Amino acid sequence: MSDVVEKTLTALPGLFDSQTGAAKITNRLKQLIKSITELTSKHEEENLMKQELSAMKEQVSSPNTTMKQMREVMVRAMYCEMLGYDASFTYIHAIKLAQQGSVLEKRVGYLAVSLFLSEGHELLLLLVNTVLKDLQSTNLIEACMALTVVAQVFPKDMIPAVLPLVEDKLSHPKEIIRRKAVLALYKFYLIAPNQVQHIHAKFRKALCDKDPGVMTSSLHIYLQLIRESPDGYKDLTGSFVAILKQVVGGKLPMDFNYHNVPAPWLQIQLLRILSLLGREDQSTSELMYEVLDESLRRAEMNHNITYAILYECVKAVYTIHPKAELLEKAARCIGNFVLSPKINLKYLGLKALTYVVQHDAKLALQHQMTIIECLDHSDFTIKRETLELLFRITNAQNVTVIVEKMLDFLRGCNDEHTVIHLVGKVAELAEKYPFHSLTVTNVTRMR
């Protein structure tokens, strides 16, 4: 049995309490998982699942089924749905479990609802009153579960019913409630931005929250807001820079570290925000030069997550108002990526060059021969990204060579999507440089 299956079976008792009979209930799901892993064909699996679903249907229809047994059925039903088998007859019972069960049964019921139902499902209407009641509950677990399901599956037309209660949770004394409230409001903003316009001031309060988790959650909202209207949030640049300095300096709790890298995903979010704020704005860009330099210096090339941070740093440096020293360091970083023997780093270097070429075509031309050599790489994704980069750096002097390389690649390519995409690129170059007869002739043959 695989390590994954072993870990799954070990974790299962956590879904159940320690009362008498819990072990017996858990054994049903354990046995199901073991039986499936021991099968040798898809046909055997389908027969087993047919029997299992039939047994569950009979159990949920019985008036003698207890809440504890229903909870166990829900967990088995979730597993069946994860394998691609229809257990829709349990959906209404998941709603009932969330409505009528104890805290543990509510937990399983809410989890099942969030997995089974999509936004707009008609059964969600039956859950609105339960969610409203749990949002007002003094029980921390019930409030958390309600906020989670609101953020995951509540549709646009149900937002007005729960918005005031979710908004109030931004001032809750417990940080986990505030964090989940921010994430729920982020979801509301994505699907109905006009309905949360009046609470933008509270988003700023969340950004300054004493809990790093709440502050991190608010960055999702700000990244979206700044993408749409960066000018309205220039005054927050100093706050974002200060947060990034604290993160890079390791001032956040160790829980946020990943492979000894301080809060890497938070760094990536902040770098994206800063690049949007500093675009074509010298005064705003000057506020972030120091922290970008520090980020480039501290993110050593020793792990995949630091490569991601360096990539975002490079993009930010080339997006904001330019500073010669930072550009030089970013160019050196890109060169290290492109020349690396590691496939992931080479691909990252090509992606970075594809982005940077819009701002500095000369940098890509410095690596032109290395880029062309990548067309002979064994990895298909490297080849595909190389072709995209070659298209970006094409000029009147190298168009013939680059188009010949593209056509050579097309002759041996079997991927239909790539062929269609690349033929379009070649045709575009033929129209842009019509006086290069070789290009025009080859494109005509391809057509």
Side-chain angles (χ1 to χ4, degrees), residues 12 38 93 102 108 141 167 180 184 193 202 223 225 232 247 253 302 336 343 364 374 381 419 431:
L12 285 177
E38 291 168 359
H93 298 284
S102 65
V108 176
I141 298 174
E167 188 180 338
K180 286 182 176 291
K202 293 191 177 181
L223 181 58
L225 290 170
V247 174
N302 57 9
N336 291 337
I343 293 178
C374 288
T381 57
V419 169
E431 293 172 2

Side-chain angles (χ1 to χ4, degrees), residues 233-350:
Y233 301 93
K234 299 278 188 179
D235 60 314
L236 289 175
T237 303
S239 298
F240 292 125
V241 168
I243 293 170
L244 184 55
K245 282 182 179 179
Q246 292 181 49
V247 174
V248 173
K251 300 296 176 60
L252 264 62
M254 294 291 289
D255 292 345
F256 287 83
N257 290 5
Y258 178 75
H259 286 270
N260 297 321
V261 180
W265 287 277
L266 180 53
Q267 288 192 54
I268 289 170
Q269 285 278 70
L270 287 165
L271 288 167
R272 289 173 178 172
I273 288 172
L274 291 178
S275 67
L276 291 169
L277 291 171
R279 178 179 287 158
E280 299 178 356
D281 187 330
Q282 183 175 351
S283 60
T284 301
S285 297
E286 288 173 352
L287 297 174
M288 57 187 78
Y289 287 155
E290 183 183 346
V291 74
L292 288 176
D293 188 28
E294 185 71 5
S295 296
L296 280 170
R297 186 179 67 81
R298 286 181 178 262
E300 300 174 358
M301 293 179 61
N302 57 9
H303 193 275
N304 282 341
I305 194 63
T306 58
Y307 305 150
I309 294 172
L310 285 170
Y311 175 69
E312 291 298 335
C313 277
V314 167
K315 287 179 66 178
V317 166
Y318 276 94
T319 302
I320 66 175
H321 187 82
K323 183 182 180 183
E325 293 177 8
L326 283 177
L327 291 174
E328 184 181 341
K329 291 180 180 180
R332 190 159 55 246
C333 181
I334 292 175
N336 291 337
F337 281 157
V338 173
L339 296 173
S340 173
K342 297 180 180 179
I343 293 178
N344 286 343
L345 286 188
K346 190 176 289 291
Y347 178 79
L348 205 58
L350 293 171

